[in-house]
Amino acid sequence: MSRCIWLLLLLALGGCSESPQQAGFAGLAGVADPESDVPFLQPGAGDRLSFPGDFGPHPQHRIEWWYLTANLRTADGEPVGLQWTQFRQAITPRPANAEPPEANTWPLEAAWMAHAAVSFDTRHYFAEKLARGDVGHAGARAEPLAVWLDEWQLESASEDDSWRLQVSTDGWSYDLSLSINRAPVAHGDDGFSAKSADGEGSMYFSLVDLQIEGTVTLGDETLEVSGQGWFDREWSSQFLKSGQQGWDWFALHLDSGDKLMAFRLREDNGDFRAGTWIPDKGEPVALRPDQLRLRPTKPDAQGFPRQWRLEVPDYGVNLEVSAPPGDYLNSGLYPYWESPVSVSGSHGGVGYMELTGYGE
Amino acid sequence: MTLLAALFSHYRRHPLQLLALATMIVLATMLWSGVHHLTSQARASLDQSESAVAERQQVERKDGERVTVADFVELRRQGLCVMPWLEVSSPEGGRVVGVDPLAAGCFESPDSEETPWRGELEGRPFVDISEAADLAREQTGQLSLLMSDAHSARDLPSAYRLAPFRVGPDTGELGDSFLLNLDALGVLVLLITALLVRSVYLLGMAQRRDSFALLHRFGVSRARINRLLVFEIMLLALVCILPGIWLGRWLANGLGTGFGRALEGLFDQPLYAGQDGGWLMPLATMLAVVLVACLADFLRPLARRLPGDGQRYGVLLALILMGGIAMSVWVSTLIWLFVAVAVVFVAAGTLAPMLISRLADWRAGSDKDPLSRWRHRELSVLARRLALPLVALQFAMAMVLAVQALVTTFESTFDRWLAQRLEADFYIEVPQSVDLTPAMDWLSEQPELAASGLWHRVVRGRATLPGESNEAGTKVDVFALGPIGPLVTGWQLFESTARPWQSLQQGHGVMVNEQLARRQGVTTGQSLTVELGSQELELPVLGIYPDYGRPAGEILLNVSVLPPDFIPSFQSLSISPGDLTIETVTRRLKEIWRVEELTVRDNRAIEDLASAIFDQTFLLTRAMTTLTLILAAIALLMMGWVFFSTRAWYFRLLVVWGLSRRQASGQLIRLSVSLTSAIALLALPMGIWLTWVLVHRINPLAFGWSLPMAIYPGFWFELGVLSLLIGLSIALLMSRQLRSPASVPGNANALAGGER
């Protein structure tokens, strides 16, 4: 039942007149047409990031998320992949400085969705939660940072640049502390990340160097874990261009200390690629489509390619990226693939891969 | 075509028969379909409420405050799967329920797609809670928080507790029983109508037997005649049933408001207009009834059932009668009670004409006077020939007697009870959140009040009788009084310990209402555990008091027993000011409480209002029974008259044999009056027994409370007068026939009434 409502909500806003295919993955290519006088804001070239405000919600944008992926290891050295995401979908846009509606009116201006996943030993655990916005049990705040939905929460710990993430669900949970070791990295043109040649896109920045420690409990076993993480913050009102089916996204921590973010948007005729090269020392560099080559090497029976070749010749990067054995499909309202990956080739390393819009 | 004309010509010759048949079918259809429409509407309302929500648990605050969105947020942040349910009364009547589908997402489990609600509620889909919240700004809304079954009471934080959540009224099967009662009355009406229609039809058939024989001689096969007869009765039925159904709707609408208010007052269940029910079902039912009544002889061979045959039939029937009566004493469910009533009715109905004719024969045997012997033999014949309408009249009389007794008993009991409850002259509503202590102090200090006035304070709220360890407890209403004074000590109690009011005044006990006593099996002297506010108290039960009009359980205790954290939903003062005027009291109270307006009600006005509502409740049953009696009386009248006409020749013989016309008329009068009186006499014990069943068996099962059994000889007198009138009318009509010459009935066939 809730699936239907969620789908209806999103499709209604995503442009019912368009076919599901044209509306793209999760309807994100649909055109937003609010009935209120307040329009949705659409990021464009020239928009800039501002901190700490941009860590908080953007009620005048249609869709945004707070996205953590982590490559961890247990005390025995076994790899553990971990994900936490909280999405905000605005049903009615509201200027950032406007007063939110009263909770006792049970407003329907925004809907929140949270995902949590753990990938360990070829097993994949996934949970999804939904909540109405502006009631109080789900929300986000920039300063001090807090993003929560029911009992799942990411919040700023007492020390600066340190966060705490707690998630618990039926049968498994995790409790992590994250320390931020690098200033936020703006992607694209100072934060405006185009997603197509026509200029649709989003505001996008990441915290690429997170040191993580904590515990992951799966059923009866409790694992002490530590490792590195990547935190994405992205918001937009027109995410995909009409006709784009989905995307493939990679965030890699290379052994050399450099980081690489790359994504590819699949369209009917060709694809749109972009990325960011973040050297260990130095400023991040936005990669143009012609500087980046990205393609799957081995298709999967399910339709999700598990092996990829990623090349950034300008920086001597020629990588084979592959997901470990296992099924890493996040089967929520909008299924997508999210898995840890291992990197080999010119550099070694770990990372995370997200594949959306395949099959349906 | 000429064949049809020939058949139908019977009605041209006897238009009154056609009129009688038509009237009976129309009236019966109107009555039955009207009642059926109302009860099916009410049933649909109850069913929809029940099925719309699978039984769930809800979270409540222990301190008695209503839950708010802040509680929802707090529970969700603790990881509990709760969802809001906001109920608002809609401006068009009925209610709107707003739910949050996003919050309900956690109710889905991998194995079932079951959401906390199914389909629609009262013909309207559930709405998003933001819509309901919009409505709640003008109307009152009620928020509940439903919790998934995955959690139990242990998972709740300490400030909250679990309670059952039901959309329908908390009345168990009582609403159903009430409707079943009404439906049973409807079926009884159908039965009586069927008997009446059958008797008139059979009479017609008997009269037409000669015409059939004639037609047969002319070459029309029997099968064809039968087919045409079926066609004829179907045509008649259709023509009469449709207006009957329309009239029934009109009747239902007329009585609907009263019925709806009764339903709401009795069971907290408003009557939703909902579906229209359709006319196909009543049409089909009435058609079936009429067809079966008239054409039953086609279904089984035409065996001549002369009731006088065989002693064993009589004994068998008497045994069945005894069995039925025994059953009514011992069974404990409503359905079996109705079965027992049906058995008794059938047995008594078959026995009655048998009894009359046997007795008459026996009297005739020992009669010296030839006239009285003739009269008794004639009575015996009449009882056999007119068996069906006589039995119908007997049923109708018994029903009227019983229902009249029920209604009158109820009225007087209710009046008395209401007078006790509203003993004080005035009722003052205490505004929310004021401190009552200064007001009570002032009231206690007034010398005029102490001398000639009476007052007490009433606190109303909710409490729980805790259930077993894991079950949610039973909700009860709390009715707390203080001080316990003469305003209540005069109440009549069903059961009580010694000096219950003193114990109550000292706070050493609690009283329960009849409904609670019945449902929980509570008796005086037993100890009752009650959860009031946050405390759990154990108190002995001091007495059981009557509480008519609603099936909810209630406990009565002294205000001093209430714990300080008990949140009352309502407080009021009942006061008879005595020498102090009510204006003085209200003025002073307004000063003390610093309010501009105080709601003060005159209890006399409330009494009138309550009585009016209960009158409406029984208007329906009264209307039904009266109409049925009229129906039966008219049928007997008509039947008797028609039958007498066929025997006019014999009665003419009386004149021929030497009686003057006036004397012959006198004989006829004695004959018909004795017949009707005999049947009235037989209806009497049946009526009394039915009264007892209604009052002592059906009523408690259907309503939850019982009534005292009372006999009203006044009604018997009325019925006697009625039967007298019917008999006289028949005789008078007959006497007019004596003037005109009559022909010898040519056919000595028994069915033509040709007994000599």
Side-chain angles (χ1 to χ4, degrees):
Chain A
M1 181 72 179
S2 56
R3 279 169 187 253
C4 303
I5 298 284
W6 181 256
L7 196 61
L8 276 168
L9 284 178
L10 285 184
L11 281 183
L13 311 158
C16 336
S17 51
E18 301 171 12
S19 67
Q21 278 225 301
Q22 285 199 303
F25 173 68
L28 288 168
V31 179
D33 192 11
E35 287 166 3
S36 63
D37 304 322
V38 181
F40 279 115
L41 287 180
Q42 175 56 20
D47 286 350
R48 294 284 170 267
L49 300 169
S50 85
F51 300 114
D54 277 336
F55 275 99
H58 300 84
Q60 214 173 344
H61 289 78
R62 192 156 68 98
I63 181 89
E64 64 177 328
W65 51 77
W66 295 252
Y67 214 120
L68 175 78
T69 55
N71 295 92
L72 310 170
R73 284 195 177 273
T74 65
D76 299 328
E78 296 161 274
V80 179
L82 190 145
Q83 175 213 350
W84 171 86
T85 314
Q86 187 151 328
F87 301 86
R88 183 183 189 278
Q89 161 99 15
I91 297 166
T92 310
R94 182 172 78 229
N97 52 8
E99 279 293 314
E102 296 262 337
N104 59 10
T105 63
W106 298 93
L108 189 60
E109 294 196 7
W112 292 88
M113 179 162 73
H115 287 172
V118 172
S119 310
F120 176 65
D121 192 20
T122 74
R123 304 193 304 263
H124 186 66
Y125 301 78
F126 170 73
E128 179 178 70
K129 269 179 169 292
L130 300 162
R132 184 176 289 251
D134 303 313
V135 169
H137 61 118
R141 186 182 58 223
E143 190 73 5
L145 179 90
V147 182
W148 69 95
L149 198 158
D150 289 346
E151 76 277 29
W152 295 3
Q153 59 187 29
L154 171 75
E155 57 186 355
S156 173
S158 41
E159 305 102 55
D160 280 335
D161 289 341
S162 175
W163 292 350
R164 179 138 181 237
L165 175 62
Q166 291 161 293
V167 162
S168 86
T169 177
D170 232 356
W172 55 274
S173 63
Y174 51 74
D175 187 352
L176 310 170
S177 54
L178 301 77
S179 36
I180 306 168
N181 291 341
R182 188 168 178 159
V185 168
H187 295 285
D189 175 14
D190 263 338
F192 173 67
S193 164
K195 297 285 189 291
S196 76
D198 301 338
E200 281 95 355
S202 61
M203 299 304 289
Y204 183 13
F205 72 87
S206 304
L207 297 171
V208 303
D209 198 348
L210 294 172
Q211 209 51 40
I212 300 182
E213 271 180 16
T215 54
V216 174
T217 308
L218 303 169
D220 296 327
E221 50 179 338
T222 303
L223 310 163
E224 298 284 332
V225 294
S226 62
Q228 45 195 342
W230 181 296
F231 180 79
D232 268 356
R233 185 78 189 87
E234 194 162 358
W235 60 98
S236 167
S237 290
Q238 176 72 41
F239 198 80
L240 296 175
K241 191 177 76 170
S242 166
Q244 288 177 327
Q245 295 118 28
W247 65 85
D248 313 302
W249 170 92
F250 297 82
L252 307 175
H253 307 268
L254 303 177
D255 288 340
S256 54
D258 311 308
K259 318 271 180 196
L260 174 63
M261 189 284 291
F263 63 82
R264 168 181 91 147
L265 281 149
R266 300 188 310 279
E267 306 174 5
D268 298 323
N269 36 357
D271 52 27
F272 178 87
R273 294 179 305 282
T276 309
W277 170 252
I278 304 135
D280 186 20
K281 308 222 181 323
E283 288 304 306
V285 177
L287 299 170
R288 290 183 322 270
D290 58 310
Q291 287 177 292
L292 174 63
R293 278 207 286 277
L294 174 61
R295 67 180 201 292
T297 51
K298 198 167 92 173
D300 190 76
Q302 258 181 324
F304 291 101
R306 308 172 72 97
Q307 269 188 315
W308 294 70
R309 178 161 291 278
L310 228 166
E311 294 168 32
V312 186
D314 291 348
Y315 296 91
V317 172
N318 190 333
L319 306 172
E320 280 247 349
V321 178
S322 59
D327 181 6
Y328 301 99
L329 181 71
N330 281 354
S331 50
L333 270 183
Y334 303 102
Y336 62 95
W337 175 284
E338 187 95 19
S339 74
V341 291
S342 53
V343 179
S344 59
S346 62
H347 302 68
V350 290
Y352 243 82
M353 165 169 87
E354 176 181 293
L355 312 169
T356 71
Y358 287 87
E360 313 283 276
Chain B
M1 207 47 202
T2 7
L3 187 52
L4 275 177
L7 269 182
F8 290 165
S9 66
H10 169 82
Y11 291 119
R12 221 182 35 224
R13 291 194 299 276
H14 302 94
L16 218 60
Q17 268 186 28
L18 187 61
L19 189 64
L21 268 179
T23 315
M24 279 192 287
I25 296 179
V26 169
L27 271 180
T29 313
M30 172 175 101
L31 271 179
W32 179 78
S33 70
V35 169
H36 183 78
H37 181 70
L38 276 179
T39 53
S40 55
Q41 228 181 301
R43 270 228 180 74
S45 301
L46 276 173
D47 279 348
Q48 269 187 328
S49 307
E50 286 296 327
S51 68
V53 166
E55 182 156 325
R56 289 277 164 181
Q57 37 190 14
Q58 62 168 325
V59 180
E60 291 183 337
R61 294 175 65 107
K62 276 203 181 137
D63 61 13
E65 294 274 342
R66 297 265 203 91
V67 290
T68 63
V69 63
D71 296 300
F72 171 72
V73 169
E74 155 118 26
L75 291 167
R76 291 289 298 208
R77 294 228 59 195
Q78 305 240 359
L80 294 167
C81 176
V82 292
M83 67 164 252
W85 171 286
L86 183 60
E87 211 168 289
V88 188
S89 52
S90 151
E92 303 105 49
R95 57 190 161 164
V96 169
V97 176
V99 291
D100 184 8
L102 297 167
C106 63
F107 274 73
E108 282 174 19
S109 58
D111 31 298
S112 75
E113 270 292 313
E114 197 190 87
T115 43
W117 65 89
R118 284 196 281 272
E120 308 175 324
L121 186 68
E122 293 134 30
R124 267 192 288 212
F126 287 80
V127 299
D128 186 80
I129 194 170
S130 53
E131 256 188 71
D134 262 344
L135 261 181
R137 270 200 287 251
E138 278 114 62
Q139 327 283 338
T140 35
Q142 168 114 14
L143 181 68
S144 318
L145 294 178
L146 274 65
M147 190 160 93
S148 156
D149 289 332
H151 305 295
S152 69
R154 269 166 296 144
D155 303 325
L156 284 174
S158 58
Y160 299 95
R161 59 147 182 246
L162 271 186
F165 179 77
R166 249 187 305 245
V167 176
D170 187 16
T171 60
E173 304 125 5
L174 290 180
D176 246 347
S177 298
F178 174 62
L179 298 175
L180 195 63
N181 235 6
L182 277 182
D183 272 340
L185 265 179
V187 168
L188 199 59
V189 168
L190 267 186
L191 176 68
I192 295 178
T193 315
L195 287 175
L196 294 174
V197 166
R198 180 174 173 75
S199 57
V200 173
Y201 191 68
L202 279 184
L203 181 68
M205 292 298 289
Q207 288 177 328
R208 290 155 92 175
R209 224 146 271 278
D210 290 349
S211 353
F212 293 156
L214 201 58
L215 285 172
H216 188 55
R217 291 255 163 76
F218 276 120
V220 183
S221 66
R222 270 203 201 285
R224 189 132 173 246
I225 293 183
N226 289 341
R227 274 202 303 274
L228 281 173
L229 283 175
V230 173
F231 170 71
E232 173 197 78
I233 193 70
M234 274 191 68
L235 187 64
L236 180 67
L238 278 172
V239 165
C240 298
I241 291 178
L242 289 172
I245 293 180
W246 182 82
L247 278 173
R249 285 295 152 82
W250 171 81
L251 185 71
N253 284 332
L255 296 169
T257 31
F259 181 66
R261 262 199 281 166
L263 210 56
E264 200 157 359
L266 289 173
F267 300 113
D268 267 333
Q269 169 69 36
L271 191 68
Y272 301 117
Q275 315 100 320
D276 202 14
W279 46 268
L280 203 57
M281 226 291 261
L283 174 67
T285 318
M286 279 310 295
L287 201 57
V289 164
V290 170
L291 283 177
V292 165
C294 299
L295 305 173
D297 295 330
F298 286 151
L299 301 177
R300 54 173 188 76
L302 212 80
R304 274 212 314 216
R305 270 193 305 109
L306 285 175
D309 272 359
Q311 297 214 341
R312 29 196 194 125
Y313 276 145
V315 173
L316 183 63
L317 283 170
L319 280 175
I320 295 180
L321 186 66
M322 294 296 149
I325 296 182
M327 224 171 114
S328 73
V329 174
W330 278 313
V331 293
S332 54
T333 57
L334 211 54
I335 290 280
W336 281 110
L337 260 181
F338 286 140
V339 167
V341 169
V343 163
V344 168
F345 263 55
V346 163
T350 326
L351 263 181
M354 252 174 77
L355 207 60
I356 296 179
S357 85
R358 290 285 220 77
L359 271 174
D361 272 337
W362 173 77
R363 269 306 296 274
S366 54
D367 251 333
K368 304 276 193 315
D369 175 29
L371 262 182
S372 60
R373 197 182 312 168
W374 170 87
R375 237 192 2 260
H376 286 127
R377 292 267 184 234
E378 193 67 24
L379 187 65
S380 169
V381 168
L382 275 183
R384 284 201 293 275
R385 292 297 122 227
L386 287 178
L388 282 178
L390 275 179
V391 166
L393 188 65
Q394 180 193 24
F395 286 177
M397 280 184 174
M399 197 172 83
V400 165
L401 208 63
V403 170
Q404 286 276 62
L406 171 71
V407 170
T408 315
T409 311
F410 183 79
E411 265 185 339
S412 61
T413 315
F414 177 66
D415 280 344
R416 205 169 356 131
W417 168 79
L418 199 63
Q420 284 175 0
R421 279 294 184 105
L422 296 177
E423 184 112 13
D425 290 334
F426 293 97
Y427 156 98
I428 302 177
E429 201 176 293
V430 173
Q432 297 272 9
S433 61
V434 293
D435 186 10
L436 263 177
T437 334
M440 291 188 40
D441 288 338
W442 178 80
L443 284 170
S444 338
E445 285 158 13
Q446 302 307 306
E448 298 95 326
L449 212 53
S452 61
L454 303 160
W455 66 278
H456 65 213
R457 159 191 176 206
V458 173
V459 174
R460 285 198 178 271
R462 301 279 274 169
T464 319
L465 303 180
E468 303 303 308
S469 44
N470 282 333
E471 278 172 25
T474 331
K475 280 294 183 62
V476 290
D477 290 336
V478 169
F479 182 32
L481 299 175
I484 311 283
L487 278 178
V488 292
T489 50
W491 284 12
Q492 284 186 341
L493 302 170
F494 288 131
E495 274 177 43
S496 68
T497 56
R499 297 220 279 241
W501 298 110
Q502 271 97 318
S503 309
L504 199 69
Q505 169 65 7
Q506 288 155 7
H508 293 159
V510 68
M511 292 198 193
V512 299
N513 73 347
E514 185 189 353
Q515 288 84 312
L516 186 64
R518 272 182 198 277
R519 264 198 266 155
Q520 303 280 350
V522 172
T523 53
T524 45
Q526 220 181 330
S527 172
L528 195 67
T529 324
V530 183
E531 232 176 72
L532 288 163
S534 56
Q535 280 187 20
E536 221 177 74
L537 301 167
E538 211 169 292
L539 298 161
V541 175
L542 298 169
I544 303 179
Y545 61 93
D547 185 11
Y548 301 115
R550 43 177 210 129
E554 187 180 75
I555 55 172
L556 171 67
L557 29 70
N558 196 325
V559 171
S560 56
V561 175
L562 294 174
D565 62 352
F566 179 79
I567 308 260
S569 38
F570 204 67
Q571 287 195 74
S572 59
L573 287 176
S574 294
I575 178 164
S576 294
D579 289 335
L580 206 61
T581 58
I582 187 68
E583 287 81 25
T584 324
V585 174
T586 44
R587 204 172 359 107
R588 185 73 189 114
L589 285 176
K590 280 193 221 174
E591 282 170 32
I592 298 180
W593 291 332
R594 284 192 272 269
V595 288
E596 290 291 320
E597 286 299 322
L598 261 191
T599 312
V600 179
R601 275 207 285 269
D602 183 355
N603 274 343
R604 302 300 135 236
I606 297 183
E607 251 183 275
D608 293 336
L609 184 67
S611 303
I613 291 185
F614 278 96
D615 278 344
Q616 282 268 3
T617 311
F618 286 100
L619 189 61
L620 184 62
T621 35
R622 268 212 174 105
M624 270 176 64
T625 49
T626 316
L627 281 172
T628 314
L629 187 62
I630 294 176
L631 207 66
I634 293 179
L636 181 63
L637 197 67
M638 209 212 58
M639 277 285 300
W641 179 59
V642 168
F643 184 72
F644 268 63
S645 341
T646 63
R647 291 177 81 63
W649 190 81
Y650 294 105
F651 301 149
R652 282 284 289 171
L653 279 180
L654 285 177
V655 177
V656 165
W657 286 338
L659 284 180
S660 75
R661 223 177 310 128
R662 252 225 329 237
Q663 282 175 312
S665 302
Q667 291 297 317
L668 285 179
I669 289 176
R670 284 174 78 167
L671 184 59
S672 59
V673 166
S674 44
L675 182 65
T676 52
S677 319
I679 203 67
L681 222 67
L682 283 177
L684 206 59
M686 214 165 126
I688 296 178
W689 171 81
L690 193 59
T691 310
W692 177 83
V693 168
L694 267 178
V695 153
H696 264 292
R697 305 307 320 276
I698 294 186
N699 211 47
L701 284 177
F703 291 90
W705 27 267
S706 70
L707 288 169
M709 170 81 185
I711 311 233
Y712 297 95
F715 291 144
W716 305 354
F717 184 67
E718 271 175 25
L719 276 183
V721 167
L722 186 65
S723 57
L724 204 70
L725 279 175
I726 298 175
L728 278 175
S729 321
I730 296 179
L732 281 171
L733 284 171
M734 260 323 301
S735 310
R736 302 190 45 216
Q737 293 244 331
L738 280 182
R739 296 201 201 107
S740 46
S743 54
V744 181
N747 195 338
N749 189 326
L751 282 172
E755 282 192 29
R756 300 178 200 245

